[in-house]
């Protein structure tokens, strides 16, 4: 194994170390604006910087958080005392990562479907991000379930882009997090989510193999297999855990060191309960962990509201969600931990 391959593998493994998971703090400009609107805070550069500093400097959080995914603006920002965020994170034992896709755009000829852009110039951007301290990256593909969708072509186009991105990341010495997300919007059943997720993951691993991506130096960030938000028959926690693990066992090679779920619109508590139930089912070929955005941050934003005086309460909300998800990594989460 060459030095690059072993470096990628050890970074990937450290991101799914026991009891730890990833903080997704890579909201794009429009997305963080939406989150700030929820607490009546204008999305200015100083507010975004202050908020990310709050997260990254939370005392004790590195016991449960292995890595943090940043946005292009964030990786270039620094703490109030002038330490660049990537260096600050590293000094706290948190691996800095970067979102490198440029968003999901309408797929021409396929109404209602999207393909993620950002491959042009990616080699150069990856080299620059590595200079800035990024050791892993993320690329998100978005698949919607609806009348007649997803089409096989949309799945193939997105899987192909994910694999191109993954190969380029590994070439740059950066661990690719491969994120194919089946959205939980809509009225579909858990069975339909399972079918689409299985088809998507099969295609993604076929493309990764085709692009000669070394799976040991990658992580998968999928949706859970779950009922659509508007489905009248909502599957319970144990059903979600069983369907998700079954689907992953059928499609994800054992060479992948870890699967880090997105929360995708689940409540913070649901996201923790589902992860916990999966880990309580027993041993799997890969680590089952988290890379949550909203499920880690929603309670933090609510506690903070942009007020400096609320900083301790906001940090303690973050530490709490990190800790309960850390417990869910080994199936040791208990509802009593919520009080
Ligand atoms: P959520 O956990 O809020 O879905 O965000 C995770 C993420 O990184 C989506 O790309």
């Amino acid at each position: 194994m060459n030095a690059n391959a072993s470096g990628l593998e050890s970074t990937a493994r450290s991101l799914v170390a026991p009891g730890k998971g990833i903080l997704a703090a890579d909201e794009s400009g429009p997305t963080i604006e939406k989150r700030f609107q929820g607490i009546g805070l204008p999305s200015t550069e100083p507010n975004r910087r202050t908020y990310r500093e709050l997260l990254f400097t939370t005392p004790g959080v590195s016991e449960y958080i292995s890595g943090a995914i940043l946005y292009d603006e964030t990786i270039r920002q620094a703490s109030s005392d002038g330490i660049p965020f990537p260096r600050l994170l590293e000094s706290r034992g948190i691996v800095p990562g970067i979102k490198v896709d440029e968003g999901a755009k309408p797929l021409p000829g396929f109404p209602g479907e999207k393909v993620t852009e950002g491959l042009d110039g990616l080699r150069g951007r990856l080299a620059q991000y590595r200079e800035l301290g990024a050791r892993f990256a993320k690329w998100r593909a978005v698949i919607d379930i609806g009348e007649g969708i997803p089409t096989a072509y949309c799945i193939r186009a997105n899987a192909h882009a994910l694999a191109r991105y993954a190969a380029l990341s590994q070439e740059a010495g950066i661990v690719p997090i491969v994120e194919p997300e089946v959205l939980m919007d809509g009225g579909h059943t858990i069975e339909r989510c399972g079918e689409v997720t299985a088809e998507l993951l099969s295609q993604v691993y076929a493309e990764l193999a085709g692009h000669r991506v070394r799976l040991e130096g990658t992580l998968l960030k999928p949706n859970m297999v779950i009922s659509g938000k508007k489905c009248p028959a909502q599957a319970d926690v144990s059903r979600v855990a069983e369907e998700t693990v079954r689907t992953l066992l059928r499609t994800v090679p054992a060479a992948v060191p870890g699967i880090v779920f997105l929360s995708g619109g689940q409540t913070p508590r649901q996201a923790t309960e589902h992860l916990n139930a999966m880990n309580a089912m027993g041993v799997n070929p890969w680590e089952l962990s988290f890379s949550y955005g909203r499920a880690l941050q929603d309670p933090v934003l609510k506690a903070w509201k942009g007020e400096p005086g609320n900083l301790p309460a906001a940090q303690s909300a973050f530490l709490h969600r990190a800790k309960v998800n850390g417990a869910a990594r080994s199936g040791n989460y208990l509802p009593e931990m919520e009080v």
Side-chain angles (χ1 to χ4, degrees):
M1 193 171 20
N2 67 33
N4 188 24
S6 83
L8 291 172
E9 191 169 333
S10 71
T11 301
R13 293 206 167 275
S14 74
L15 288 168
V16 290
K20 294 189 187 188
I22 297 169
L23 164 68
D26 60 325
E27 295 83 4
S28 63
T31 303
I32 194 72
E33 184 170 10
K34 201 159 81 187
R35 304 276 184 269
F36 279 5
Q37 263 165 15
I39 55 166
L41 188 70
S43 180
T44 61
E45 191 274 337
N47 283 344
R48 292 191 294 270
R49 200 205 57 73
T50 303
Y51 175 59
R52 267 67 182 249
E53 178 165 357
L54 175 166
L55 294 172
F56 304 156
T57 58
T58 293
V61 88
S62 57
E63 200 179 323
Y64 314 107
I65 298 294
S66 55
I69 317 176
L70 313 180
Y71 183 57
D72 182 77
E73 176 188 74
T74 323
I75 201 171
R76 301 167 198 278
Q77 287 173 321
S79 65
S80 41
D81 49 3
I83 305 168
F85 279 152
R87 261 218 288 137
L88 172 81
L89 288 165
E90 232 167 65
S91 74
R92 306 198 62 216
I94 298 173
V95 182
I98 181 78
K99 167 194 176 78
V100 300
D101 68 68
E102 292 179 340
K105 307 286 159 61
L107 182 63
F110 291 80
E113 296 193 287
K114 290 181 171 167
V115 66
T116 301
E117 293 186 351
L119 288 172
D120 285 357
L122 181 57
R123 178 178 272 129
R125 288 195 291 124
L126 283 164
Q128 195 195 28
Y129 286 138
R130 197 169 198 290
E131 277 293 305
L132 288 168
R135 293 295 173 264
F136 71 102
K138 161 189 139 169
W139 177 290
R140 173 172 175 255
V142 186
I143 301 294
D144 209 351
I145 297 180
E147 203 47 40
I149 61 169
T151 61
Y153 181 77
C154 175
I155 288 179
R156 220 163 60 229
N158 275 290
H160 181 266
L162 275 167
R164 281 278 308 283
Y165 139 78
L168 282 162
S169 297
Q170 291 196 328
E171 180 191 82
I174 288 181
V175 170
I177 294 190
V178 174
E179 181 177 1
E181 174 175 8
V182 177
L183 295 176
M184 64 184 288
D185 305 335
H188 56 268
T189 60
I190 188 171
E191 289 84 2
R192 178 90 180 109
C193 177
E195 283 164 20
V196 172
T197 303
E199 198 181 328
L200 176 60
L201 292 178
S202 304
Q203 192 68 43
V204 165
Y205 282 99
E207 288 288 340
L208 289 170
H211 283 73
R212 301 184 177 169
V213 171
R214 207 171 171 280
L215 296 183
E216 290 85 347
T218 67
L219 294 173
L220 176 69
K221 176 163 173 168
N223 52 285
M224 295 180 194
V225 175
I226 199 167
S227 316
K229 267 192 184 154
K230 296 190 199 119
C231 178
Q234 290 288 313
D236 65 12
V237 172
S238 62
R239 180 92 199 281
V240 169
E242 281 161 22
E243 294 295 333
T244 303
V245 172
R246 194 199 331 270
T247 302
L248 295 170
L249 283 170
R250 286 174 176 167
T251 52
V252 184
V256 174
I259 296 174
V260 294
F261 293 101
L262 56 92
S263 60
Q266 301 177 47
T267 65
R269 196 155 166 176
Q270 281 172 334
T272 307
E273 287 172 352
H274 288 149
L275 179 65
N276 187 65
M278 284 186 252
N279 279 309
M281 284 167 63
V283 181
N284 288 295
W286 357 255
E287 294 291 326
L288 289 180
S289 185
F290 59 93
S291 174
Y292 294 157
R294 284 162 286 178
L296 283 170
Q297 294 186 56
D298 281 356
V300 186
L301 284 165
K302 277 194 196 122
W304 181 51
K305 296 193 188 77
E307 297 289 336
N310 293 337
L311 183 110
Q315 289 190 326
S316 101
F318 180 38
L319 182 64
H320 175 68
R321 286 285 19 117
K323 188 174 177 172
V324 291
N325 284 300
R329 288 280 283 103
S330 52
N332 286 321
Y333 164 77
L334 296 166
E336 297 89 277
M337 292 175 177
E338 295 294 351
V339 280

